[in-house]
Each structure stands twice: as C-alpha cells, then as structure tokens.
C-alpha cells in the first residue's frame, strides 16, 4: 500500500512538472495560444406581430446583436463565422405549423471593424439553413497579434405567408460557429 | 531508461491537456409571436328599415338605396371570409307575434376597396338564417395597409312579395361574422 502511494505521488509530481515545463515552453514560443472567441451581446431576439403594418411589411430588429470575434491560429490565418440551424423551419411551439426559414434573414448593419486591419469580407444578408454558411470571413495576421473584429447584425422577418398562419409563438435556434477556415 | 520513457509519455499527455480546438460557438434563440388581427367595423347602415306604405311598394318591393345600404370594413392579418345570416329563422312580428319569411329580404354585396371581386355570390341573394353559414365574401390573403371595404345593398319584397301578411313591425338581427381561414 505504501509502495503504491509512493508511485502515485511520483506519477503526479512528474506529470505536473511536465505540464509546467511545456507550459513554459509554449508561453515562451508563442505569446498567445491558438484560440477562437465569439462574444455575443444581445443573445436572443423576439419578433412581435401585432399591427397590420407589421403583417404587411414585416418586422426588423435593427442592430440587435453585437458580435465580437477574437481569433488567433498560427497554422491557419483564415477564419470564418458560420451561421446555421438544425431546424428546417421556424416551428410553432406545438409543432403543428411553421414559418419557412427563408422568411428570416440576418444582415450585417455596421461595417466590421478590425483592430489590426486584416482582410475581412462578408455577406450583407443571409438566411440560415441547415448548411453552415459563412456570414463573415477574413484572414488574420500571421504574427502573434490577435485579430479582433466587431460588428452589429439586424434580424428581419418578412411577412410572406404569415397571413395564413394562426396566432402563436414560433421558434428556432440560430447557431453561430467561429472557426478556422479551410 | 524506463524513467525517461515515462517522462516522455507524461510530456505527451501534458500536450494533449493543452490542446484546444480553434472554434467557438454561440446560440441565439429566435422567436416570432403572431397575434392575429381580425376586425370588422360597420361604418354606416347599422339599422335598416323598410316601410311598406304604398301599393307600388307592396307590388314591386323596395329596392336598394343609400338608406338601405350597410357599409363595413375588414382588417385581417389572415385570409378570411365573412358570413352573413339572420339571428332568427323568420322575421318576427313585434306587436302581433306573427312572422315573415326571411326570403323577403335580399342583399347584394359589393367590394368597394381592397379585396375587390371577393363577393362570393354576385347579384341578389336571399337572407338566410345564420345557421346556413351563408358566405358573403372571402379573401385569399391578409388585408393591406388599408382595410378592405364592402357594402351590402338591402332590398325587400322584390322577389318574394310581402303582400298578404298581417300589418306589423317585423324584425331580426343580421350577423356579419368575420372568420379566419
């Protein structure tokens, strides 16, 4: 039993020593480790249709969400922000009716700003689907600086076909994925 | 040698511990709440009276005029139809308790703005009991910025004579029912 405890103590001592050693090496070689950070302010959106004007012209939530991207990848400077949803439509709570996803669109409404002036491009307007689609993409600086991009997005629900739907609440999760681009 | 191999393995494990996927995710729940709008507003002609006091009226009836026209508007966020029907199976005599067939009353529908052409049956239609679910008009879609406007031209005693009925004041209420499709 004592022999086992000694072995266990030795194991952990060596493990933490190794961790410390390689952490030191990594920090020394690369000031910022590879990472992707997606920060979302305004992390939900609710559309209310309660006037004839809204049923006629749709509803837009302007500059509703602010997105901040921070990215660093030494092996691949390319990044993109994908939007998608696993839902095939905007579904009613009871699941009996739905609004086509094509009624919903995301629009970048403020010029993305980048702290280190890397290349950025984006779709001005996009409807999500089950296929992951790039909303905004860019190429990060290859040196040790972190790319930080900020922008605002608006959401719109067009009124097409809403007149044939009963009252109720419809829902879908909009998913955002920030990752290194191929 | 064994210790050296051991250290190398541990070093590899420590690397695995530091490995991070270059990816981050967020979920934004999107919800849409639809509050259906169904409004029917009678703008004029909420009370129609036919007074028969000449032989010409008894023989030829009383036709549609401005004073026998009901105007109403519809605002709807959905496709809709409007049913028209009398509350009672007959016109009921107020003073003597007799009755008069509903078919002495006829209506002609006109769409005046918005959903023009949506009157279900053109021409004169006999007034029916509301249980018959007689359709006045229908619309395949929601109304526009401005409400759809309709008129009902009422006439009496033209197709079915009111002659040979006891003098009385015969009344009924007519319901206009706006129903979402």
């Amino acid at each position: 039993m004592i022999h086992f405890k000694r072995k266990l103590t030795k194991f952990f001592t060596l493990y933490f020593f190794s961790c410390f050693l390689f952490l030191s090496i990594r920090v020394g070689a690369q000031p910022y480790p590879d990472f992707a950070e997606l920060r979302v302010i305004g992390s939900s959106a609710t559309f209310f249709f309660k006037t004839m004007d809204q049923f006629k012209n749709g509803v837009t939530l302007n500059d509703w969400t602010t997105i901040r991207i921070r990215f660093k990848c030494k092996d691949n400077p390319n990044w993109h922000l994908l939007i998608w949803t696993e839902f095939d439509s905007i579904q009613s709570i009871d699941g009996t009716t739905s609004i086509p996803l094509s009624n919903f669109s995301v629009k970048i409404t403020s010029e993305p700003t980048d702290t280190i002036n890397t290349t950025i491009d984006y779709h001005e307007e996009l409807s999500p689907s089950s296929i992951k689609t790039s909303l905004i993409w860019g190429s990060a600086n290859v040196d040790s600086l972190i790319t930080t991009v900020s922008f605002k997005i608006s959401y719109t629900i067009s009124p097409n076909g809403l007149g044939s739907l009963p009252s109720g609440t419809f829902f879908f999760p909009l998913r955002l994925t920030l990752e290194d681009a191929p | 040698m064994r210790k050296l191999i051991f250290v190398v393995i541990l070093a590899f494990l420590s690397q695995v511990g530091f490995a991070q996927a270059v990816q981050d995710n967020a979920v934004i729940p999107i919800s849409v709440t639809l509050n259906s709008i169904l409004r029917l507003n009678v703008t004029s002609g909420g009370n129609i009276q036919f007074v028969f006091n000449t032989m010409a009226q008894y023989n030829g009836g009383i036709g549609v005029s401005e004073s026998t026209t009901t105007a109403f508007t519809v605002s709807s966020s959905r496709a809709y139809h409007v049913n028209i029907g009398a509350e009672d199976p007959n016109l009921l005599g107020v003073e003597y308790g007799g009755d008069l067939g509903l078919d002495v009353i006829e209506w002609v529908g006109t769409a005046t703005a918005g959903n023009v052409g949506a009157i279900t049956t053109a021409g004169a239609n006999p007034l029916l009991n509301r249980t018959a679910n007689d359709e006045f008009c229908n619309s395949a879609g929601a109304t526009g910025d401005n409400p759809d406007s309709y008129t009902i031209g009422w006439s009496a005693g033209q197709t079915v004579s009111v002659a040979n009925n006891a003098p009385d004041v015969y009344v009924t209420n007519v319901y206009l029912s706006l129903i979402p499709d």
Side-chain angles (χ1 to χ4, degrees):
Chain A
M1 189 65 184
I2 294 168
H3 182 67
F4 176 73
K5 274 187 178 174
R6 275 187 188 160
K7 276 200 160 185
L8 200 64
T9 307
K10 189 183 277 183
F11 174 83
F12 279 112
T13 306
L14 278 169
Y15 180 76
F16 288 120
F17 174 74
S18 302
C19 288
F20 177 75
L21 180 70
F22 280 89
L23 179 67
S24 306
I25 290 168
R26 287 170 69 93
V27 169
Q30 189 181 316
Y32 301 105
D34 291 352
F35 77 98
E37 183 187 86
L38 180 59
R39 185 167 292 180
V40 175
I41 302 166
S43 57
S44 67
T46 303
F47 295 86
F48 288 103
F49 283 77
K50 54 190 177 185
T51 68
M52 285 306 298
D53 179 66
Q54 290 167 331
F55 276 99
K56 178 73 177 173
N57 300 311
V59 173
T60 296
L61 303 176
N62 282 314
D63 294 340
W64 195 258
T65 297
T66 300
I67 292 178
R68 194 182 77 163
I69 289 168
R70 296 178 77 222
F71 184 83
K72 175 78 183 74
C73 181
K74 72 176 171 59
D75 296 328
N76 181 5
N78 300 324
W79 59 271
H80 59 178
L81 178 65
L82 305 166
I83 64 168
W84 56 286
T85 178
E86 68 272 32
F87 282 37
D88 56 7
S89 61
I90 308 170
Q91 294 175 3
S92 63
I93 296 296
D94 61 5
T96 55
T97 53
S98 63
I99 301 170
L101 277 173
S102 55
N103 278 45
F104 175 81
S105 62
V106 176
K107 189 175 186 180
I108 293 180
T109 44
S110 68
E111 192 67 27
T113 56
D114 176 13
T115 52
I116 54 175
N117 297 318
T118 56
T119 309
I120 297 173
D121 204 356
Y122 58 90
H123 286 294
E124 283 202 352
E125 195 162 5
L126 204 60
S127 289
S129 69
S130 58
I131 299 167
K132 292 181 178 178
T133 309
S134 297
L135 175 66
I136 182 169
W137 57 94
S139 185
N141 201 314
V142 291
D143 64 22
S144 58
L145 295 173
I146 299 171
T147 298
T148 304
V149 181
S150 297
F151 56 94
K152 291 183 177 180
I153 56 176
S154 297
Y155 307 108
T156 298
I157 291 281
S158 68
N160 302 336
L162 298 187
S164 61
L165 295 171
S167 297
T169 299
F170 301 74
F171 162 85
F172 82 99
L174 176 66
R175 297 192 180 274
L176 306 175
T177 298
L178 172 65
E179 63 180 23
D180 51 332
Chain B
M1 187 62 189
R2 278 179 60 195
K3 279 190 176 175
L4 186 64
I5 293 169
F6 191 54
V7 168
V8 169
I9 291 169
L10 286 175
F12 175 75
L13 286 174
S14 70
Q15 282 292 299
V16 172
F18 286 121
Q20 296 176 30
V22 185
Q23 188 187 75
D24 197 10
N25 297 286
V27 182
I28 300 175
I30 307 288
S31 66
V32 182
T33 299
L34 301 180
N35 294 318
S36 290
I37 297 168
L38 288 169
R39 291 186 195 125
L40 188 151
N41 185 28
V42 175
T43 53
S44 66
N47 182 36
I48 304 295
Q49 274 191 309
F50 295 99
V51 180
F52 288 84
N53 53 15
T54 68
M55 283 310 297
Q57 289 170 335
Y58 271 101
N59 291 326
I62 298 174
V64 177
S65 67
E66 194 176 336
S67 63
T68 63
T69 297
T70 297
F72 69 94
T73 61
V74 172
S75 292
S76 175
S77 61
R78 300 181 56 180
Y80 67 89
H81 64 275
V82 176
N83 284 353
I84 184 169
E87 181 181 17
D88 309 299
N90 294 295
L91 293 160
L92 303 176
V94 174
E95 293 186 21
Y96 302 108
D99 56 37
L100 195 62
L102 286 175
D103 54 0
V104 302
I105 305 289
E106 291 181 310
W107 57 265
V108 176
T110 308
T112 54
N115 194 26
V116 177
I119 300 301
T120 303
T121 308
N125 299 273
L127 179 63
L128 303 177
N129 184 236
R130 64 184 304 203
T131 56
N133 295 321
D134 191 16
E135 189 176 273
F136 175 83
C137 67
N138 63 70
S139 171
T143 58
D145 288 340
N146 296 313
D148 293 346
S149 299
Y150 301 94
T151 60
I152 309 168
W154 300 100
S155 61
Q158 289 193 305
T159 303
V160 176
S161 175
V162 296
N164 299 315
N165 285 288
D168 203 343
V169 176
Y170 296 94
V171 299
T172 190
N173 293 315
V174 175
Y175 284 82
L176 297 173
S177 304
L178 174 58
I179 300 164
D181 289 339

